[in-house]
């Protein structure tokens, strides 16, 4: 409901986004040091629930792990283990807390029109209410005795009144409410 409105004061993030360590890939979470030295000729074998856990994009990372390996780089075995031929590095494929938005960071300054992207950023930053300026209001009074309401067959000498539609639309584009009077 804030889209297109003008902020009356700066808006700051209430929470970070993401607000937890999150997997950036589908795959396995593990300890990077356990993968060091992995090569095609010397693969590393990891045991599920002991050395790694399966994880999807966006899932929170367990505190005991510090790396995520893409599922495409995991060689599944039939005994509950996986083999790796490439080592992982610490914090690989992990979205850090505040990677997109940090708690306390300004999301939108004052006197700024809220765009679609800004509306999304506000929600990501934990903001559900924003102080905005009241919309300006305008009254439109069409004048002239030759002016008539729109119809399919106006009488000769009568002109269909269309300016109020044009002006009302322009005012809406500028963020104002309008009312057309007789």
């Amino acid at each position: 409901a804030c889209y297109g409105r003008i902020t009356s004061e700066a808006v700051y993030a209430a929470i970070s986004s993401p607000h937890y360590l999150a997997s950036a890939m589908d795959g396995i979470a593990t300890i990077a040091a356990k993968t060091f030295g992995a090569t095609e000729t010397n693969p590393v074998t990891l045991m599920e629930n002991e050395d790694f856990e399966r994880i999807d994009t966006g899932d929170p990372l367990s505190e005991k792990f510090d790396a995520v390996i893409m599922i495409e780089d995991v060689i599944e075995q039939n005994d509950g283990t996986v083999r790796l031929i490439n080592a992982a590095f610490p914090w690989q494929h992990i979205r850090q807390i505040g990677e997109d938005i940090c708690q306390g960071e300004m999301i939108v300054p004052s006197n700024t029109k809220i765009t679609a992207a800004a509306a999304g950023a506000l929600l990501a930053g934990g903001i559900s209410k924003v102080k905005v300026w009241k919309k300006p209001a305008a009254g439109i009074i069409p004048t002239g005795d030759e002016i008539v309401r729109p119809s399919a067959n106006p009488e000769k000498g009568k002109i269909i009144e269309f300016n109020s539609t044009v002006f009302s639309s322009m005012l809406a584009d500028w963020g104002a409410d309008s009312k057309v009077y007789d």
Side-chain angles (χ1 to χ4, degrees):
C2 68
Y3 174 75
R5 300 298 299 270
I6 308 297
T7 57
S8 62
E9 59 185 37
V11 184
Y12 298 88
I15 61 171
S16 292
S17 178
H19 60 282
Y20 58 91
L21 294 175
S23 176
M25 300 284 169
D26 291 345
I28 63 169
T30 190
I31 299 168
K34 289 189 175 191
T35 71
F36 293 169
T39 65
E40 282 190 44
T41 56
N42 186 31
V44 169
T45 301
L46 300 177
M47 176 65 73
E48 188 165 11
N49 298 323
E50 187 176 315
D51 299 318
F52 76 91
E53 291 177 0
R54 296 182 186 278
I55 196 164
D56 293 323
T57 303
D59 284 350
L61 192 72
S62 172
E63 289 183 21
K64 65 183 177 179
F65 298 126
D66 67 355
V68 172
I69 300 170
M70 293 189 310
I71 196 64
E72 294 86 351
D73 294 334
V74 174
I75 302 166
E76 298 281 349
Q77 303 300 298
N78 293 328
D79 61 356
T81 65
V82 296
R83 278 199 190 145
L84 306 174
I85 59 172
N86 293 305
F89 55 86
W91 305 112
Q92 171 180 291
H93 302 308
I94 296 173
R95 296 193 64 218
Q96 300 295 312
I97 294 170
E99 184 176 299
D100 294 333
I101 299 170
C102 289
Q103 183 178 8
E105 176 182 11
M106 183 188 302
I107 301 173
V108 182
S110 62
N111 301 312
T112 301
K113 187 174 186 176
I114 299 173
T115 63
L122 289 165
L123 289 173
I127 303 299
S128 59
K129 290 185 179 184
V130 179
K131 290 185 179 180
V132 296
W133 291 112
K134 184 177 178 181
K135 285 185 174 186
I140 299 171
I141 306 171
T143 59
D145 58 6
E146 74 285 4
I147 302 297
V148 295
R149 292 183 185 272
S151 68
N153 297 307
E155 294 178 31
K156 286 184 182 179
K158 299 297 180 182
I159 299 172
I160 293 175
E161 193 285 303
F162 58 85
N163 284 330
S164 63
T165 298
V166 172
F167 295 142
S168 291
S169 298
M170 291 169 68
L171 287 161
D173 284 345
W174 297 330
D177 289 328
S178 62
K179 181 176 180 181
V180 178
Y181 294 92
D182 290 335

